[in-house]
Amino acid sequence: MSDIQVEASLTGTIWKILVTEGETVSENQTVAIIEAMKMEIPVVASDSGVVRTVHVKEGDAIAEGDSVVTIDG
């Protein structure tokens, strides 16, 4: 198994987290939503696996490239 880092594609605020640690996710599944410039931007899993760590909470400010979740792939 390898670690897969799901990263923010832009700077904004975590509006909603849609997964929990231990949950199985599929490739292209939305794991969180970022609010930026009054738009909602999905953060999607690049591969399937089990969510090991959620690195953010709702309301957190994040920068482009910040890790949102880690998936065991």
Side-chain angles (χ1 to χ4, degrees):
M1 289 189 161
S2 61
D3 290 345
I4 300 162
Q5 297 298 320
V6 181
E7 299 175 345
S9 59
L10 63 130
T11 298
T13 302
I14 296 293
W15 181 71
K16 189 106 177 133
I17 298 171
L18 303 173
V19 296
T20 58
E21 293 177 0
E23 182 176 342
T24 300
V25 295
S26 57
E27 184 177 0
N28 296 320
Q29 179 178 338
T30 301
V31 297
I33 299 173
I34 298 172
E35 189 276 324
M37 300 176 291
K38 305 288 184 196
M39 297 178 5
E40 296 174 6
I41 313 298
V43 178
V44 298
S46 57
D47 209 343
S48 59
V50 176
V51 176
R52 181 173 49 163
T53 308
V54 176
H55 299 283
V56 295
K57 61 184 182 303
E58 293 177 4
D60 282 356
I62 57 167
E64 180 178 346
D66 284 354
S67 186
V68 177
V69 300
T70 300
I71 297 172
D72 283 334

